[in-house]
Amino acid sequence: MTDVTGEPVDALHTLFHSDQGGHEQVVLCQDRASGLKAVIAIHSTALGPALGGTRFYPYASEQAAVADALNLARGMSYKNALAGLGHGGGKAVIIGDPEAFEGDRRTELLLAYGRAVASLGGRYVTACDVGTYVADMDVVARECRWTTGRSPENGGAGDSSVLTAFGVFQGMRASAQHLWGDPTLRGRKVGVAGVGKVGHHLVEHLLADGAEVTITDVREESVRRITEKHPGVAVASDTEALIRTEGLDIYAPCALGGALNDDTVPVLTASVVCGAANNQLAHPGVEKDLADRSILYAPDYVVNAGGVIQVADELHGFDFDRCRGKAAKIFDTTLAIFARAKSDGIPPAAAADRIAEQRMADAARR
């Protein structure tokens, strides 16, 4: 089930020579009967069992899948550390087109995947990610007790987008406190790119707090769902138009990664970037470009941690109020990162990394 001998040399080269090093364990999984090909990456267990979602995606190569798993697992270590969770970071990727696996075929693949995760004996706890859903975790849990993100009917917490959005809102409040001396978004102009599962909940928080909101999304139905309920919400034609909006105070990328890059940063009109999307910085150095333009960046893996807080809590018997209380602390964590960045003379992204690395190092010494 966990066999590396049949994997291409390129994938193994990525595994052993990647610049995303420091991982404790990488498992390449294959089950020919179901068609499962997967990579499970465990970056760190210093703080506890690795926790991270399962991505189901048609990677161009095994090498690309391994690289993505390594990168995502490392990011989860940092996210979990700053969220104050007793978990390290891990991630799994299933190689394939999720739309090609339906009905019994998908069930058999997920059961095989569950057996692969179970074989690690609790070192890795899995959950949902791109291409997998709550119903999928219900299937995985039939073979693996180290599964979270399940449906309420199966002992889980269900959709985590509500608390993810709440955490991002707390990050925005902290950004406003740091930059303008007041945690309210009242009267501030906020642009939200991507109003799907998380983004539309974020819009509700912003409107309730008195913000002026402009949205955009590639899906017309997502935009229409908001404008029909809130006719006062403005709509930008696309993301480029949104980031160039005159008078924008906060830009919230809530769709794809890489939103902050060499093309977008020079034309951003906002004073703050705080959103739910993962991996917003397209490459190292973008955080400095933002700082050079005096744009305050709330690190994505800090403010979007509400979802992982929820799935971690599910392992102990989910309690929404308890989770909401933990997610509310994202406000304090974000402020502490801004303070550290100022004292060390570094961008907030670098400050967040230092705090997370220190927590992991302290735990490893104990």
Side-chain angles (χ1 to χ4, degrees):
M1 193 66 203
T2 54
D3 175 22
V4 300
T5 58
E7 290 299 320
V9 173
D10 282 350
L12 295 179
H13 182 275
T14 297
L15 196 163
F16 288 113
H17 299 282
S18 170
D19 59 2
Q20 307 159 21
H23 295 72
E24 293 181 9
Q25 184 177 9
V26 181
V27 181
L28 307 182
C29 313
Q30 182 169 282
D31 180 75
R32 289 182 174 85
S34 66
L36 173 72
K37 294 187 75 173
V39 182
I40 301 173
I42 297 174
H43 177 258
S44 171
T45 57
L47 292 167
L51 171 64
T54 301
R55 183 163 294 190
F56 198 162
Y57 188 78
Y59 292 94
S61 66
E62 287 85 353
Q63 184 178 16
V66 171
D68 200 29
L70 293 173
N71 183 47
L72 292 167
R74 182 176 182 273
M76 288 306 303
S77 285
Y78 284 67
K79 177 181 287 193
N80 293 340
L82 280 173
L85 301 176
H87 285 280
K91 205 79 173 187
V93 301
I94 297 174
I95 304 169
D97 182 356
E99 294 185 2
F101 288 83
E102 297 180 346
D104 291 344
R105 190 181 182 206
R106 188 180 186 94
T107 297
E108 291 305 313
L109 179 139
L110 292 170
L111 290 173
Y113 171 66
R115 292 191 291 273
V117 176
S119 73
L120 297 175
R123 282 177 52 79
Y124 168 62
V125 180
T126 196
C128 300
D129 196 73
V130 174
T132 59
Y133 305 91
V134 169
D136 293 328
M137 292 305 106
D138 286 345
V139 176
V140 173
R142 286 158 55 183
E143 292 283 357
C144 178
R145 64 188 181 93
W146 295 286
T147 305
T148 186
R150 295 162 294 153
S151 67
E153 295 79 10
N154 286 281
D159 182 14
S160 62
S161 61
V162 173
L163 285 179
T164 301
F166 178 69
V168 174
F169 178 61
Q170 297 307 313
M172 284 190 184
R173 292 181 62 248
S175 300
Q177 175 67 54
H178 178 79
L179 199 60
W180 301 304
D182 192 334
T184 182
L185 282 305
R186 181 169 298 280
R188 298 294 174 187
K189 192 169 186 176
V190 182
V192 182
V195 287
K197 286 197 299 184
V198 175
H200 87 274
H201 289 301
L202 178 60
V203 169
E204 295 290 343
H205 286 297
L206 292 168
L207 294 174
D209 201 36
E212 181 182 340
V213 179
T214 301
I215 63 172
T216 189
D217 198 297
V218 295
R219 299 172 299 277
E220 290 184 10
E221 63 272 20
S222 296
V223 171
R224 189 165 54 250
R225 173 173 58 173
I226 290 176
T227 55
E228 288 179 352
K229 183 177 180 181
H230 303 288
V233 170
V235 179
S237 58
D238 54 29
T239 300
E240 183 176 356
L242 179 65
I243 65 176
R244 293 175 179 268
T245 299
E246 186 176 350
L248 199 66
D249 293 301
I250 301 175
Y251 171 52
C254 296
L256 299 177
L260 303 173
N261 55 52
D262 296 336
D263 295 323
T264 58
V265 171
V267 297
L268 268 173
T269 60
S271 302
V272 174
V273 175
C274 179
N278 287 309
N279 303 318
Q280 292 171 25
L281 304 178
H283 59 78
V286 175
E287 69 276 15
K288 185 178 184 302
D289 294 338
L290 289 164
D292 288 346
R293 291 204 59 219
S294 298
I295 298 172
L296 182 66
Y297 172 61
D300 50 33
Y301 72 82
V302 177
V303 302
N304 69 10
V308 76
I309 288 171
Q310 175 170 317
V311 296
D313 191 78
E314 183 180 314
L315 297 170
H316 310 286
F318 178 64
D319 182 284
F320 182 82
D321 291 336
R322 178 173 62 203
C323 281
R324 196 177 191 279
K326 291 178 181 178
K329 294 179 181 178
I330 290 173
F331 176 88
D332 297 322
T333 301
T334 307
L335 279 180
I337 288 165
F338 292 152
R340 176 70 177 267
K342 184 177 181 180
S343 66
D344 290 2
I346 56 176
D353 286 353
R354 287 185 182 181
I355 294 171
E357 288 162 1
Q358 187 63 55
R359 184 168 187 237
M360 288 186 280
D362 289 347
R365 284 194 290 268
R366 288 199 292 267

